[in-house]
Amino acid sequence: MQDHQSGHQRLTLSDVQRPEYLANPYPLYHRLREHDPIYWDEEMHAWVLTRYTDVVAVLRDPRFSSAWGPVETAWMPEELRPQLEPALRAVSRQMLFLDPPDHSRLRGLVARAFTPRMVESLRPRVQRLVDELLDAVQDQGEMEFVADFAYPLPAIVIAEMLGVPPEDRSQFIVWTQDFGRLLDGGHLSFEELLTTLSGIADFLAYFRRQIAQRRTAPRDDLLQALILAEEQGDRLNEEELLGNCVLLLAAGHGTTTHLLGNGLYALLQHPEQLQLLRENPSLAPTAVMELLRYDSPVQLTSRRLTADVEWAGRRFKAGEEVLTVLGAANHDPEQFPDPDRLDLRRTDNRHVAFGHGPHFCLGAPLARLEAEVAFTTILRRLPQLCLATEQIERLPSLVFRGIKALPVTFASVLP
Ligand code: HEM
């Protein structure tokens, strides 16, 4: 698009896909924010918001809806409809795609089974898993950090929480990939959408069997807690229960993988910060928050207007979509002094990497726990950790920011 005032080619959000901005989108976000922090993007067919204050205000304003609306099935091939329709219905009952009062009810029920105390009780188990993943590579002197560590860790944690037996784990990991694709916005081809939904249908069938087993023989896991979840006599129905199991996987796996990958990459590029954390492991909680802000796994989320709204001199119309660019808000100099600097001691770090308002990430304590244990253990046990490549490849997504592969070397693994 041509900018008539400056005569320059005007940048838009889609330019994130260009190699230089995929490597580092923050200069692009600065340009968008400085040029026009609230602009209508013809290509995305949505408003794009890059200022911290606008992003947090939209995310807590009920006029900006998360709801999907009625499930459309007309596009489904007739012969696949019996399989795909229940999958789409269950997905549409995920709390992420609902507004109050349905959202509040479902979130309240799932949150009861997912308390910070319950998450904290997982610390010893997460520590054991982290140590096992490092033990597995100790004789190699190298690993591909994403495949060998960042990918399996969150998958195993959530699989165990839900009570998936170890023998079903590899199938389960394939499903989480399917669900992650669904959250990546409108970037799926028709074929990919069919594959994704049929993966979800298989997952639903698997979990229906797991639920039936637990109804006769209760177990002590998150799935059992969800089955029992009850508030004011109001149970989760099975569709809601299944839809929100899918969500826990979809929302919790890729995002945490990206936090581990982006975080380790950022540390390796800032040796003095890495050394600071190595020498001060008690800094881990603050450090993880800064890594979340500095290179956020979820770069944007969206809302749809339920009413006409006047916003900072703009007229938003009912039905229009608004993209809140979390990655841009997290680098807004009005909110974060020297925003492009990684500062593991940063205080007053009210980043929006986990969103904001009623849909604030339910899994934030779990993601933070996994990252804190992972980074402190890696820095303690791998004293000579180095990047094995100059060039890393980023995932080509506007929504998620992650690294495809991160080869690293190390001289030894301490016990
Ligand atoms: C919601 C980010 C890990 C479960 C969200 C939202 C963001 C987010 C930005 C809000 C989306 C919106 O408002 O539209 C992240 C990041 C993670 C992470 C960056 C890792 C670093 C997890 C984990 C789980 C999880 C580990 C669970 C196992 C959820 C759920 C919601 C959510 C259930 C929906 C909450 C609601 O709609 O009320 N997450 N997440 N997330 N996240 Fe996470």
Side-chain angles (χ1 to χ4, degrees), residues 134-169:
L134 295 183
D135 292 345
V137 296
Q138 64 181 347
D139 298 331
Q140 295 168 204
E142 60 180 13
M143 67 170 146
E144 197 287 85
F145 181 70
V146 176
D148 291 336
F149 191 97
Y151 193 79
L153 178 67
I156 298 172
V157 170
I158 190 74
E160 287 190 352
M161 281 178 83
L162 281 167
V164 174
E167 62 273 19
D168 296 339
R169 209 183 268 162

Side-chain angles (χ1 to χ4, degrees), residues 11-13 15-33 50 294-296 299 325 327-328 331 340 394 397-398 400-401:
L11 293 168
T12 66
L13 188 59
D15 287 305
V16 167
Q17 312 257 10
R18 281 165 44 177
E20 70 270 34
Y21 293 126
L22 206 52
N24 178 8
Y26 304 105
L28 169 66
Y29 295 154
H30 289 317
R31 291 267 297 272
L32 297 180
R33 197 187 310 103
T50 45
Y294 179 76
D295 206 13
S296 307
Q299 290 278 305
V325 188
H331 282 248
D340 298 336
R394 289 280 178 180
S397 166
L398 288 176
F400 295 116
R401 181 155 173 80

Side-chain angles (χ1 to χ4, degrees), residues 59 66 95-96 103 107 114 158 247-248 251-252 255-256 259 292 297-298 301-303 326 352-356 358-364 366-367 370:
L59 292 179
S66 294
M95 69 183 93
L96 192 57
H103 170 261
R107 183 171 167 118
F114 212 86
I158 190 74
L247 175 63
L248 289 175
T255 47
T256 310
L259 166 60
L292 279 158
V298 181
T301 185
S302 69
R303 296 290 187 264
L326 307 175
V352 285
F354 288 123
H356 183 79
H359 290 276
F360 180 83
C361 179
L362 195 66
L366 179 60
E370 289 180 44

Side-chain angles (χ1 to χ4, degrees), residues 182 214 305 321 389:
L182 201 68
R214 280 170 182 69
L305 281 137
E321 193 181 358
T389 174

